[in-house]
Amino acid sequence: MTAQIIDGKQVAADMRAELKAEVAELKKKEIVPGLAVVLVGEDPASKSYVTAKERACEELGIYSDDNRLAADTSQKDLMALIKKLNKDPKINGILVQLPLPDGLNEAEVLLAIDPAKDVDGFHPVNVGKMVVGEKAFLPCTPHGVIQLLIRNGVKLEGAEVVIVGRSNIVGKPLANMLIQKNATGNATVTVCHTRTRNLAGHTRRADIVIAAAGRPDTVTADMVKDGVVVIDVGVNRVGEKPSKKDPNRMVAILKGDVDFEAVKEKASLITPVPGGVGPMTITMLLYNTVESAKRAAGIDEN
Ligand code: NAP
């Protein structure tokens, strides 16, 4: 069996088209969703993520408030900015790009964000609501994984799902979402990590394997059964190559956590890296921003 490739770019484009139409409808009611992005310092990867987020907002008609601060910004000034954004009625979502430079207290900053504007879904209030199955902002990458699955017709109810990785931003929230008693849950979930004995013993019985370990070739062909669905969250920089657009510029060679070439011969569906989970993360951030604007305006259909 050769797998059908899950096209994350296409699913993200479909969702962005839906969101763009929704934003246009909201604008007729004089509601303009607004996202504030806070970037401290000059980290090149963070700068390019933030630029991508700002461009995506523009494409959808979401108001984007760009806050780029010097690396030596004090904790006090950063906290004052968060407080200002919490009160700003034009802002429905606040995103603080992580990691923050050394010397800044990340936990204190994230805790200061109004949970009603926490579109990253990292605030303990949103994490708690997610766990007990109340309406919450769902963290973007795991929510993007679930959208990829359901929009490709994968049945989650009763499925045996094995997640490799237990981080707070991917593995743990994903496991929580997948066991919820709702239409995007009802799966049976096993979460594996570096202390798991016999990882392959778990992955081999899975209907769906989700790899979020941050290590190339964590999942190989001998570790999965025929017909498995594989979602590869991993992004590993394994080298550099000249850019297609500008051969004088070097770009990273990216690889996931799954041995894609071999596993695709056994899987029924598989995500590539890049072009799988990656495009979904920003899309789900935009989704949460639009949700937040609707809640602030008292429009709550879900
Ligand atoms: P993380 O915080 O480093 O967590 C990695 C998890 O994988 C840990 O729980 C670790 O176990 C487990 N693990 C590592 N090697 C393992 C192995 N050989 N066998 C079993 N478990 C293993 O990473 P993260 O932030 O969750 O990110 C995971 C990957 O996803 C990274 O490559 C990251 O770049 C990527 N990512 C992509 C997106 C996207 O938008 N596409 C978003 C977020 C993350 P222990 O807990 O025991 O250490």
Side-chain angles (χ1 to χ4, degrees), residues 141 164-171 192-196 199 211-215 218 232-237 257 277-282:
T141 301
V164 187
R166 57 175 165 185
S167 74
N168 288 339
I169 62 166
V170 188
C192 300
H193 43 78
T194 57
R195 306 297 168 92
T196 297
L199 176 63
R215 216 196 61 162
T218 303
D232 192 350
V233 184
V235 181
N236 304 293
R237 285 170 175 76
D257 290 349
V277 175
M280 294 302 291
T281 298
I282 294 182

PDB file of all heavy atoms in Angstrom, residues 141 164-171 192-196 199 211-215 218 232-237 257 277-282, ligand 1:
ATOM      1  N   THR A 141      -1.236  23.932  17.554  1.00  0.00           N
ATOM      2  CA  THR A 141      -0.678  22.780  16.821  1.00  0.00           C
ATOM      3  C   THR A 141      -1.526  21.516  17.032  1.00  0.00           C
ATOM      4  O   THR A 141      -1.921  20.877  16.050  1.00  0.00           O
ATOM      5  CB  THR A 141       0.802  22.562  17.197  1.00  0.00           C
ATOM      6  OG1 THR A 141       1.513  23.757  16.872  1.00  0.00           O
ATOM      7  CG2 THR A 141       1.407  21.395  16.445  1.00  0.00           C
ATOM      8  N   VAL A 164       3.625  10.040  20.290  1.00  0.00           N
ATOM      9  CA  VAL A 164       5.005   9.957  20.775  1.00  0.00           C
ATOM     10  C   VAL A 164       5.420  11.378  21.160  1.00  0.00           C
ATOM     11  O   VAL A 164       5.603  12.230  20.288  1.00  0.00           O
ATOM     12  CB  VAL A 164       5.953   9.365  19.707  1.00  0.00           C
ATOM     13  CG1 VAL A 164       7.341   9.131  20.327  1.00  0.00           C
ATOM     14  CG2 VAL A 164       5.388   8.069  19.144  1.00  0.00           C
ATOM     15  N   GLY A 165       5.506  11.642  22.460  1.00  0.00           N
ATOM     16  CA  GLY A 165       5.824  12.989  22.962  1.00  0.00           C
ATOM     17  C   GLY A 165       4.777  13.435  23.957  1.00  0.00           C
ATOM     18  O   GLY A 165       3.576  13.229  23.728  1.00  0.00           O
ATOM     19  N   ARG A 166       5.242  14.036  25.064  1.00  0.00           N
ATOM     20  CA  ARG A 166       4.305  14.453  26.125  1.00  0.00           C
ATOM     21  C   ARG A 166       4.532  15.915  26.514  1.00  0.00           C
ATOM     22  O   ARG A 166       4.404  16.277  27.688  1.00  0.00           O
ATOM     23  CB  ARG A 166       4.477  13.557  27.353  1.00  0.00           C
ATOM     24  CG  ARG A 166       5.912  13.563  27.900  1.00  0.00           C
ATOM     25  CD  ARG A 166       6.053  12.785  29.183  1.00  0.00           C
ATOM     26  NE  ARG A 166       7.445  12.509  29.478  1.00  0.00           N
ATOM     27  CZ  ARG A 166       7.868  11.765  30.496  1.00  0.00           C
ATOM     28  NH1 ARG A 166       6.988  11.240  31.327  1.00  0.00           N
ATOM     29  NH2 ARG A 166       9.148  11.552  30.684  1.00  0.00           N
ATOM     30  N   SER A 167       4.900  16.763  25.545  1.00  0.00           N
ATOM     31  CA  SER A 167       5.151  18.163  25.896  1.00  0.00           C
ATOM     32  C   SER A 167       3.838  18.881  26.198  1.00  0.00           C
ATOM     33  O   SER A 167       2.750  18.426  25.806  1.00  0.00           O
ATOM     34  CB  SER A 167       5.874  18.886  24.756  1.00  0.00           C
ATOM     35  OG  SER A 167       4.973  19.125  23.706  1.00  0.00           O
ATOM     36  N   ASN A 168       3.978  20.025  26.879  1.00  0.00           N
ATOM     37  CA  ASN A 168       2.785  20.818  27.220  1.00  0.00           C
ATOM     38  C   ASN A 168       2.169  21.468  25.997  1.00  0.00           C
ATOM     39  O   ASN A 168       1.004  21.852  26.022  1.00  0.00           O
ATOM     40  CB  ASN A 168       3.153  21.914  28.228  1.00  0.00           C
ATOM     41  CG  ASN A 168       3.441  21.335  29.591  1.00  0.00           C
ATOM     42  OD1 ASN A 168       3.008  20.225  29.907  1.00  0.00           O
ATOM     43  ND2 ASN A 168       4.193  22.062  30.399  1.00  0.00           N
ATOM     44  N   ILE A 169       2.969  21.634  24.906  1.00  0.00           N
ATOM     45  CA  ILE A 169       2.392  22.338  23.749  1.00  0.00           C
ATOM     46  C   ILE A 169       1.851  21.385  22.683  1.00  0.00           C
ATOM     47  O   ILE A 169       1.042  21.784  21.861  1.00  0.00           O
ATOM     48  CB  ILE A 169       3.365  23.374  23.120  1.00  0.00           C
ATOM     49  CG1 ILE A 169       4.619  22.704  22.577  1.00  0.00           C
ATOM     50  CG2 ILE A 169       3.716  24.478  24.092  1.00  0.00           C
ATOM     51  CD1 ILE A 169       5.408  23.644  21.652  1.00  0.00           C
ATOM     52  N   VAL A 170       2.303  20.127  22.676  1.00  0.00           N
ATOM     53  CA  VAL A 170       1.781  19.194  21.654  1.00  0.00           C
ATOM     54  C   VAL A 170       1.181  17.926  22.313  1.00  0.00           C
ATOM     55  O   VAL A 170      -0.036  17.748  22.323  1.00  0.00           O
ATOM     56  CB  VAL A 170       2.858  18.788  20.619  1.00  0.00           C
ATOM     57  CG1 VAL A 170       2.192  17.984  19.489  1.00  0.00           C
ATOM     58  CG2 VAL A 170       3.579  19.992  20.024  1.00  0.00           C
ATOM     59  N   GLY A 171       2.023  17.055  22.843  1.00  0.00           N
ATOM     60  CA  GLY A 171       1.560  15.725  23.263  1.00  0.00           C
ATOM     61  C   GLY A 171       0.433  15.742  24.285  1.00  0.00           C
ATOM     62  O   GLY A 171      -0.614  15.112  24.074  1.00  0.00           O
ATOM     63  N   CYS A 192       3.394   8.171  24.682  1.00  0.00           N
ATOM     64  CA  CYS A 192       4.730   7.600  24.900  1.00  0.00           C
ATOM     65  C   CYS A 192       5.765   8.714  25.055  1.00  0.00           C
ATOM     66  O   CYS A 192       5.551   9.841  24.612  1.00  0.00           O
ATOM     67  CB  CYS A 192       5.118   6.719  23.718  1.00  0.00           C
ATOM     68  SG  CYS A 192       3.980   5.344  23.474  1.00  0.00           S
ATOM     69  N   HIS A 193       6.887   8.386  25.685  1.00  0.00           N
ATOM     70  CA  HIS A 193       7.959   9.360  25.952  1.00  0.00           C
ATOM     71  C   HIS A 193       9.259   8.605  26.092  1.00  0.00           C
ATOM     72  O   HIS A 193       9.311   7.392  25.813  1.00  0.00           O
ATOM     73  CB  HIS A 193       7.601  10.191  27.193  1.00  0.00           C
ATOM     74  CG  HIS A 193       7.051   9.363  28.298  1.00  0.00           C
ATOM     75  ND1 HIS A 193       7.863   8.595  29.107  1.00  0.00           N
ATOM     76  CD2 HIS A 193       5.773   9.115  28.664  1.00  0.00           C
ATOM     77  CE1 HIS A 193       7.099   7.938  29.957  1.00  0.00           C
ATOM     78  NE2 HIS A 193       5.824   8.226  29.709  1.00  0.00           N
ATOM     79  N   THR A 194      10.311   9.280  26.553  1.00  0.00           N
ATOM     80  CA  THR A 194      11.627   8.613  26.573  1.00  0.00           C
ATOM     81  C   THR A 194      11.718   7.504  27.620  1.00  0.00           C
ATOM     82  O   THR A 194      12.632   6.700  27.568  1.00  0.00           O
ATOM     83  CB  THR A 194      12.768   9.628  26.815  1.00  0.00           C
ATOM     84  OG1 THR A 194      12.514  10.316  28.039  1.00  0.00           O
ATOM     85  CG2 THR A 194      12.885  10.637  25.686  1.00  0.00           C
ATOM     86  N   ARG A 195      10.796   7.463  28.566  1.00  0.00           N
ATOM     87  CA  ARG A 195      10.834   6.382  29.557  1.00  0.00           C
ATOM     88  C   ARG A 195       9.917   5.221  29.169  1.00  0.00           C
ATOM     89  O   ARG A 195       9.729   4.279  29.946  1.00  0.00           O
ATOM     90  CB  ARG A 195      10.428   6.902  30.943  1.00  0.00           C
ATOM     91  CG  ARG A 195      11.218   8.096  31.432  1.00  0.00           C
ATOM     92  CD  ARG A 195      12.694   7.776  31.616  1.00  0.00           C
ATOM     93  NE  ARG A 195      13.458   8.988  31.797  1.00  0.00           N
ATOM     94  CZ  ARG A 195      13.736   9.516  32.983  1.00  0.00           C
ATOM     95  NH1 ARG A 195      13.310   8.950  34.065  1.00  0.00           N
ATOM     96  NH2 ARG A 195      14.435  10.627  33.054  1.00  0.00           N
ATOM     97  N   THR A 196       9.277   5.329  28.007  1.00  0.00           N
ATOM     98  CA  THR A 196       8.381   4.257  27.563  1.00  0.00           C
ATOM     99  C   THR A 196       9.203   3.014  27.237  1.00  0.00           C
ATOM    100  O   THR A 196      10.199   3.105  26.513  1.00  0.00           O
ATOM    101  CB  THR A 196       7.602   4.705  26.296  1.00  0.00           C
ATOM    102  OG1 THR A 196       6.803   5.827  26.662  1.00  0.00           O
ATOM    103  CG2 THR A 196       6.714   3.608  25.747  1.00  0.00           C
ATOM    104  N   LEU A 199       8.661   1.147  22.742  1.00  0.00           N
ATOM    105  CA  LEU A 199       7.866   2.114  21.957  1.00  0.00           C
ATOM    106  C   LEU A 199       7.197   1.423  20.755  1.00  0.00           C
ATOM    107  O   LEU A 199       6.004   1.624  20.489  1.00  0.00           O
ATOM    108  CB  LEU A 199       8.788   3.260  21.490  1.00  0.00           C
ATOM    109  CG  LEU A 199       8.172   4.321  20.593  1.00  0.00           C
ATOM    110  CD1 LEU A 199       7.071   5.076  21.316  1.00  0.00           C
ATOM    111  CD2 LEU A 199       9.248   5.296  20.108  1.00  0.00           C
ATOM    112  N   ALA A 211       3.545  11.599  15.775  1.00  0.00           N
ATOM    113  CA  ALA A 211       4.921  11.727  16.264  1.00  0.00           C
ATOM    114  C   ALA A 211       5.216  13.182  16.573  1.00  0.00           C
ATOM    115  O   ALA A 211       5.109  14.047  15.706  1.00  0.00           O
ATOM    116  CB  ALA A 211       5.886  11.203  15.209  1.00  0.00           C
ATOM    117  N   ALA A 212       5.573  13.451  17.831  1.00  0.00           N
ATOM    118  CA  ALA A 212       5.947  14.812  18.256  1.00  0.00           C
ATOM    119  C   ALA A 212       7.096  14.688  19.249  1.00  0.00           C
ATOM    120  O   ALA A 212       6.991  15.065  20.405  1.00  0.00           O
ATOM    121  CB  ALA A 212       4.752  15.526  18.881  1.00  0.00           C
ATOM    122  N   ALA A 213       8.213  14.131  18.754  1.00  0.00           N
ATOM    123  CA  ALA A 213       9.365  13.854  19.615  1.00  0.00           C
ATOM    124  C   ALA A 213      10.501  14.839  19.378  1.00  0.00           C
ATOM    125  O   ALA A 213      11.327  15.062  20.258  1.00  0.00           O
ATOM    126  CB  ALA A 213       9.854  12.427  19.373  1.00  0.00           C
ATOM    127  N   GLY A 214      10.563  15.429  18.167  1.00  0.00           N
ATOM    128  CA  GLY A 214      11.667  16.338  17.857  1.00  0.00           C
ATOM    129  C   GLY A 214      12.956  15.583  17.591  1.00  0.00           C
ATOM    130  O   GLY A 214      14.038  16.083  17.875  1.00  0.00           O
ATOM    131  N   ARG A 215      12.828  14.383  17.001  1.00  0.00           N
ATOM    132  CA  ARG A 215      14.002  13.567  16.696  1.00  0.00           C
ATOM    133  C   ARG A 215      13.747  12.780  15.408  1.00  0.00           C
ATOM    134  O   ARG A 215      12.757  12.025  15.331  1.00  0.00           O
ATOM    135  CB  ARG A 215      14.238  12.585  17.849  1.00  0.00           C
ATOM    136  CG  ARG A 215      15.702  12.315  18.136  1.00  0.00           C
ATOM    137  CD  ARG A 215      15.845  11.090  18.987  1.00  0.00           C
ATOM    138  NE  ARG A 215      15.311   9.901  18.299  1.00  0.00           N
ATOM    139  CZ  ARG A 215      15.603   8.653  18.655  1.00  0.00           C
ATOM    140  NH1 ARG A 215      16.374   8.419  19.675  1.00  0.00           N
ATOM    141  NH2 ARG A 215      15.095   7.622  17.999  1.00  0.00           N
ATOM    142  N   THR A 218      12.280   8.699  14.559  1.00  0.00           N
ATOM    143  CA  THR A 218      11.730   8.109  15.791  1.00  0.00           C
ATOM    144  C   THR A 218      10.722   7.014  15.431  1.00  0.00           C
ATOM    145  O   THR A 218      10.599   6.028  16.134  1.00  0.00           O
ATOM    146  CB  THR A 218      11.046   9.204  16.646  1.00  0.00           C
ATOM    147  OG1 THR A 218      12.013  10.220  16.922  1.00  0.00           O
ATOM    148  CG2 THR A 218      10.516   8.669  17.959  1.00  0.00           C
ATOM    149  N   ASP A 232       2.944  13.559  11.364  1.00  0.00           N
ATOM    150  CA  ASP A 232       4.309  13.876  11.794  1.00  0.00           C
ATOM    151  C   ASP A 232       4.383  15.351  12.183  1.00  0.00           C
ATOM    152  O   ASP A 232       4.350  16.242  11.323  1.00  0.00           O
ATOM    153  CB  ASP A 232       5.265  13.571  10.627  1.00  0.00           C
ATOM    154  CG  ASP A 232       6.722  13.588  11.058  1.00  0.00           C
ATOM    155  OD1 ASP A 232       7.001  14.013  12.195  1.00  0.00           O
ATOM    156  OD2 ASP A 232       7.567  13.171  10.244  1.00  0.00           O
ATOM    157  N   VAL A 233       4.455  15.597  13.485  1.00  0.00           N
ATOM    158  CA  VAL A 233       4.503  16.982  13.969  1.00  0.00           C
ATOM    159  C   VAL A 233       5.951  17.501  13.978  1.00  0.00           C
ATOM    160  O   VAL A 233       6.203  18.698  13.926  1.00  0.00           O
ATOM    161  CB  VAL A 233       3.898  17.086  15.403  1.00  0.00           C
ATOM    162  CG1 VAL A 233       3.845  18.537  15.876  1.00  0.00           C
ATOM    163  CG2 VAL A 233       2.507  16.480  15.456  1.00  0.00           C
ATOM    164  N   GLY A 234       6.900  16.593  14.013  1.00  0.00           N
ATOM    165  CA  GLY A 234       8.312  16.962  14.185  1.00  0.00           C
ATOM    166  C   GLY A 234       8.843  17.882  13.094  1.00  0.00           C
ATOM    167  O   GLY A 234       8.475  17.764  11.932  1.00  0.00           O
ATOM    168  N   VAL A 235       9.682  18.800  13.507  1.00  0.00           N
ATOM    169  CA  VAL A 235      10.415  19.654  12.562  1.00  0.00           C
ATOM    170  C   VAL A 235      11.872  19.645  13.020  1.00  0.00           C
ATOM    171  O   VAL A 235      12.202  20.211  14.067  1.00  0.00           O
ATOM    172  CB  VAL A 235       9.887  21.107  12.550  1.00  0.00           C
ATOM    173  CG1 VAL A 235      10.669  21.933  11.532  1.00  0.00           C
ATOM    174  CG2 VAL A 235       8.399  21.156  12.233  1.00  0.00           C
ATOM    175  N   ASN A 236      12.708  18.963  12.264  1.00  0.00           N
ATOM    176  CA  ASN A 236      14.120  18.854  12.623  1.00  0.00           C
ATOM    177  C   ASN A 236      14.967  19.447  11.503  1.00  0.00           C
ATOM    178  O   ASN A 236      14.780  19.111  10.333  1.00  0.00           O
ATOM    179  CB  ASN A 236      14.485  17.376  12.817  1.00  0.00           C
ATOM    180  CG  ASN A 236      13.593  16.710  13.858  1.00  0.00           C
ATOM    181  OD1 ASN A 236      13.661  17.040  15.029  1.00  0.00           O
ATOM    182  ND2 ASN A 236      12.724  15.802  13.425  1.00  0.00           N
ATOM    183  N   ARG A 237      15.886  20.336  11.879  1.00  0.00           N
ATOM    184  CA  ARG A 237      16.791  20.929  10.882  1.00  0.00           C
ATOM    185  C   ARG A 237      17.980  19.999  10.739  1.00  0.00           C
ATOM    186  O   ARG A 237      18.758  19.849  11.680  1.00  0.00           O
ATOM    187  CB  ARG A 237      17.223  22.322  11.337  1.00  0.00           C
ATOM    188  CG  ARG A 237      16.113  23.321  11.155  1.00  0.00           C
ATOM    189  CD  ARG A 237      16.335  24.666  11.784  1.00  0.00           C
ATOM    190  NE  ARG A 237      15.232  25.556  11.432  1.00  0.00           N
ATOM    191  CZ  ARG A 237      14.006  25.490  11.982  1.00  0.00           C
ATOM    192  NH1 ARG A 237      13.742  24.605  12.907  1.00  0.00           N
ATOM    193  NH2 ARG A 237      13.048  26.322  11.581  1.00  0.00           N
ATOM    194  N   ASP A 257       9.783  13.558  12.245  1.00  0.00           N
ATOM    195  CA  ASP A 257      10.191  12.513  13.193  1.00  0.00           C
ATOM    196  C   ASP A 257       9.978  11.117  12.612  1.00  0.00           C
ATOM    197  O   ASP A 257      10.320  10.117  13.233  1.00  0.00           O
ATOM    198  CB  ASP A 257       9.341  12.609  14.477  1.00  0.00           C
ATOM    199  CG  ASP A 257       9.666  13.848  15.291  1.00  0.00           C
ATOM    200  OD1 ASP A 257      10.673  14.510  14.993  1.00  0.00           O
ATOM    201  OD2 ASP A 257       8.901  14.140  16.232  1.00  0.00           O
ATOM    202  N   VAL A 277       1.692  19.337   9.069  1.00  0.00           N
ATOM    203  CA  VAL A 277       1.141  20.019  10.257  1.00  0.00           C
ATOM    204  C   VAL A 277       1.504  21.511  10.267  1.00  0.00           C
ATOM    205  O   VAL A 277       0.697  22.353  10.674  1.00  0.00           O
ATOM    206  CB  VAL A 277       1.653  19.335  11.553  1.00  0.00           C
ATOM    207  CG1 VAL A 277       1.197  20.094  12.791  1.00  0.00           C
ATOM    208  CG2 VAL A 277       1.185  17.882  11.607  1.00  0.00           C
ATOM    209  N   GLY A 278       2.716  21.828   9.804  1.00  0.00           N
ATOM    210  CA  GLY A 278       3.223  23.212   9.884  1.00  0.00           C
ATOM    211  C   GLY A 278       2.218  24.279   9.460  1.00  0.00           C
ATOM    212  O   GLY A 278       1.929  25.197  10.241  1.00  0.00           O
ATOM    213  N   PRO A 279       1.650  24.192   8.233  1.00  0.00           N
ATOM    214  CA  PRO A 279       0.732  25.260   7.794  1.00  0.00           C
ATOM    215  C   PRO A 279      -0.526  25.405   8.651  1.00  0.00           C
ATOM    216  O   PRO A 279      -1.216  26.418   8.592  1.00  0.00           O
ATOM    217  CB  PRO A 279       0.344  24.825   6.369  1.00  0.00           C
ATOM    218  CG  PRO A 279       1.363  23.821   5.952  1.00  0.00           C
ATOM    219  CD  PRO A 279       1.878  23.174   7.191  1.00  0.00           C
ATOM    220  N   MET A 280      -0.836  24.355   9.455  1.00  0.00           N
ATOM    221  CA  MET A 280      -2.065  24.404  10.251  1.00  0.00           C
ATOM    222  C   MET A 280      -1.926  25.263  11.500  1.00  0.00           C
ATOM    223  O   MET A 280      -2.914  25.792  12.014  1.00  0.00           O
ATOM    224  CB  MET A 280      -2.470  22.984  10.678  1.00  0.00           C
ATOM    225  CG  MET A 280      -2.865  22.080   9.552  1.00  0.00           C
ATOM    226  SD  MET A 280      -4.236  22.739   8.592  1.00  0.00           S
ATOM    227  CE  MET A 280      -5.576  22.607   9.772  1.00  0.00           C
ATOM    228  N   THR A 281      -0.700  25.407  12.018  1.00  0.00           N
ATOM    229  CA  THR A 281      -0.546  26.057  13.320  1.00  0.00           C
ATOM    230  C   THR A 281      -1.011  27.518  13.284  1.00  0.00           C
ATOM    231  O   THR A 281      -1.836  27.940  14.105  1.00  0.00           O
ATOM    232  CB  THR A 281       0.910  25.912  13.816  1.00  0.00           C
ATOM    233  OG1 THR A 281       1.167  24.521  13.966  1.00  0.00           O
ATOM    234  CG2 THR A 281       1.132  26.589  15.157  1.00  0.00           C
ATOM    235  N   ILE A 282      -0.514  28.292  12.296  1.00  0.00           N
ATOM    236  CA  ILE A 282      -0.934  29.700  12.211  1.00  0.00           C
ATOM    237  C   ILE A 282      -2.429  29.781  11.881  1.00  0.00           C
ATOM    238  O   ILE A 282      -3.152  30.631  12.402  1.00  0.00           O
ATOM    239  CB  ILE A 282      -0.087  30.474  11.174  1.00  0.00           C
ATOM    240  CG1 ILE A 282       1.365  30.566  11.643  1.00  0.00           C
ATOM    241  CG2 ILE A 282      -0.663  31.877  10.930  1.00  0.00           C
ATOM    242  CD1 ILE A 282       2.280  31.343  10.722  1.00  0.00           C
TER     243      ILE A 282
HETATM  244  P1  NAP B   1       9.662  18.697  23.335  1.00  0.00           P
HETATM  245  O1  NAP B   1       9.137  19.658  24.337  1.00  0.00           O
HETATM  246  O2  NAP B   1      11.134  18.543  23.158  1.00  0.00           O
HETATM  247  O3  NAP B   1       9.040  17.259  23.674  1.00  0.00           O
HETATM  248  C1  NAP B   1       9.435  16.112  22.985  1.00  0.00           C
HETATM  249  C2  NAP B   1       8.737  14.929  23.590  1.00  0.00           C
HETATM  250  O4  NAP B   1       9.110  13.763  22.853  1.00  0.00           O
HETATM  251  C3  NAP B   1       9.128  14.652  25.047  1.00  0.00           C
HETATM  252  O5  NAP B   1       7.983  14.286  25.775  1.00  0.00           O
HETATM  253  C4  NAP B   1      10.116  13.495  24.963  1.00  0.00           C
HETATM  254  O6  NAP B   1      10.038  12.640  26.078  1.00  0.00           O
HETATM  255  C5  NAP B   1       9.594  12.756  23.740  1.00  0.00           C
HETATM  256  N1  NAP B   1      10.645  12.025  23.031  1.00  0.00           N
HETATM  257  C6  NAP B   1      11.787  12.520  22.512  1.00  0.00           C
HETATM  258  N2  NAP B   1      12.506  11.532  21.919  1.00  0.00           N
HETATM  259  C7  NAP B   1      11.794  10.398  22.104  1.00  0.00           C
HETATM  260  C8  NAP B   1      12.005   9.037  21.747  1.00  0.00           C
HETATM  261  N3  NAP B   1      13.092   8.656  21.085  1.00  0.00           N
HETATM  262  N4  NAP B   1      11.064   8.127  22.093  1.00  0.00           N
HETATM  263  C9  NAP B   1       9.943   8.498  22.767  1.00  0.00           C
HETATM  264  N5  NAP B   1       9.688   9.779  23.129  1.00  0.00           N
HETATM  265  C10 NAP B   1      10.605  10.710  22.805  1.00  0.00           C
HETATM  266  O7  NAP B   1       9.106  19.011  21.883  1.00  0.00           O
HETATM  267  P2  NAP B   1       7.726  19.716  21.383  1.00  0.00           P
HETATM  268  O8  NAP B   1       7.784  21.158  21.672  1.00  0.00           O
HETATM  269  O9  NAP B   1       6.557  18.909  21.803  1.00  0.00           O
HETATM  270  O10 NAP B   1       7.906  19.527  19.815  1.00  0.00           O
HETATM  271  C11 NAP B   1       8.027  18.245  19.235  1.00  0.00           C
HETATM  272  C12 NAP B   1       8.393  18.406  17.761  1.00  0.00           C
HETATM  273  O11 NAP B   1       7.325  19.050  17.110  1.00  0.00           O
HETATM  274  C13 NAP B   1       9.633  19.289  17.512  1.00  0.00           C
HETATM  275  O12 NAP B   1      10.319  18.803  16.383  1.00  0.00           O
HETATM  276  C14 NAP B   1       9.036  20.642  17.208  1.00  0.00           C
HETATM  277  O13 NAP B   1       9.872  21.432  16.378  1.00  0.00           O
HETATM  278  C15 NAP B   1       7.783  20.230  16.467  1.00  0.00           C
HETATM  279  N6  NAP B   1       6.701  21.220  16.521  1.00  0.00           N
HETATM  280  C16 NAP B   1       6.133  21.578  15.344  1.00  0.00           C
HETATM  281  C17 NAP B   1       5.105  22.501  15.324  1.00  0.00           C
HETATM  282  C18 NAP B   1       4.465  22.863  14.019  1.00  0.00           C
HETATM  283  O14 NAP B   1       3.783  23.863  13.938  1.00  0.00           O
HETATM  284  N7  NAP B   1       4.638  22.066  12.983  1.00  0.00           N
HETATM  285  C19 NAP B   1       4.654  23.077  16.515  1.00  0.00           C
HETATM  286  C20 NAP B   1       5.220  22.664  17.722  1.00  0.00           C
HETATM  287  C21 NAP B   1       6.252  21.722  17.712  1.00  0.00           C
HETATM  288  P3  NAP B   1      10.441  13.115  27.585  1.00  0.00           P
HETATM  289  O15 NAP B   1       9.266  13.907  28.062  1.00  0.00           O
HETATM  290  O16 NAP B   1      10.616  11.843  28.321  1.00  0.00           O
HETATM  291  O17 NAP B   1      11.691  13.933  27.433  1.00  0.00           O
END
